[in-house]
């Protein structure tokens, strides 16, 4: 029975991955940037973030963390402009200041899922640096849409595998 349960869970998860790729192919043309590339990678990264959390409550905390991570990334870029008189150190100084304050969010319930903030920030900087025409607004829009899709599919995975397990182990 364990082999069948594992195979069913694997097939279900593979189906969800298939669906995410299909959603990207349908959705990417409506995004304000990257219409030809798509952003499946952001959904897959967010899906993994949900697995780190594992619960619906922590999935919501991860979604909040995504928004905070994007906001703090914008602050990093703006602060780097303030410190542009020190070209080599402009971004490192900005990162130091922002990360110092981000880590204090560990004390704030519902806004304390720090890994999601760092993942969101990394994806956001990836968009800003590698997607032509990306700016704060378009980058944030794309990341929120795809990040939330990934988090939602993380929930689908956990909830669906639980349902499959109950159905297959029913006596």
């Amino acid at each position: 029975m364990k082999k069948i349960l594992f195979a069913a869970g694997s097939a279900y998860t593979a189906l969800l991955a298939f669906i995410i790729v299909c959603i990207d192919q349908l959705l990417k043309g409506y995004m304000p940037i990257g219409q030809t590339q798509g952003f499946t990678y952001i959904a897959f990264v967010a899906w993994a973030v949900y697995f780190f959390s594992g619960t619906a409550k922590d999935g919501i905390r991860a979604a909040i963390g995504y928004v905070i991570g994007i906001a703090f990334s914008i602050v990093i870029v703006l602060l780097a402009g303030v410190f542009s008189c020190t070209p080599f150190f402009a971004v490192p100084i900005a990162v130091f200041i922002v990360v110092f304050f981000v880590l204090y969010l560990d004390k704030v319930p519902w806004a304390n899922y720090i890994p999601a903030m760092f993942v969101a920030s990394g994806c956001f900087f990836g968009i800003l640096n590698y997607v032509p025409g990306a700016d704060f607004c378009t980058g944030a829009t794309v990341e929120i849409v795809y990040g939330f899709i990934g988090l939602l599919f993380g929930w689908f995975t956990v909830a669906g595998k639980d349902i499959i397990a109950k159905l297959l182990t029913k006596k």
Side-chain angles (χ1 to χ4, degrees), residues 11-71:
Y12 174 71
T13 304
L15 176 63
L16 291 177
F18 171 89
I19 292 169
I20 284 179
V21 175
C22 289
I23 289 170
D24 178 52
Q25 290 182 18
L26 295 171
L27 190 61
K28 69 184 179 185
Y30 296 99
M31 290 292 104
I33 53 172
Q35 292 91 356
T36 58
Q37 294 111 335
F39 297 96
T40 303
Y41 74 94
I42 294 174
F44 274 52
V45 169
W47 195 2
V49 167
Y50 187 91
F51 288 134
F52 292 143
S53 64
T55 66
K57 175 187 171 188
D58 288 339
I60 292 168
R61 288 176 50 229
I64 294 167
Y66 259 68
V67 173
I68 293 169
I70 292 167

Side-chain angles (χ1 to χ4, degrees), residues 3 27 115 166:
K3 289 181 182 179
L27 190 61
K166 287 176 185 170

Side-chain angles (χ1 to χ4, degrees), residues 96-159:
F96 176 85
I97 292 168
V98 170
V99 169
F100 179 83
F101 288 107
V102 164
L103 294 177
Y104 272 90
L105 289 176
D106 198 32
K107 306 284 185 193
V108 181
W110 291 98
N112 62 352
Y113 201 61
I114 306 299
M117 294 176 206
F118 276 84
V119 168
S121 181
C123 287
F124 187 73
F125 284 122
I127 291 169
L128 288 183
N129 287 317
Y130 301 111
V131 178
D135 58 28
F136 294 157
C137 185
T138 58
T141 299
V142 166
E143 185 166 0
I144 293 292
V145 168
Y146 279 88
F148 285 14
I149 288 170
L151 292 171
L152 180 64
F153 271 70
W155 180 82
F156 286 157
T157 305
V158 173

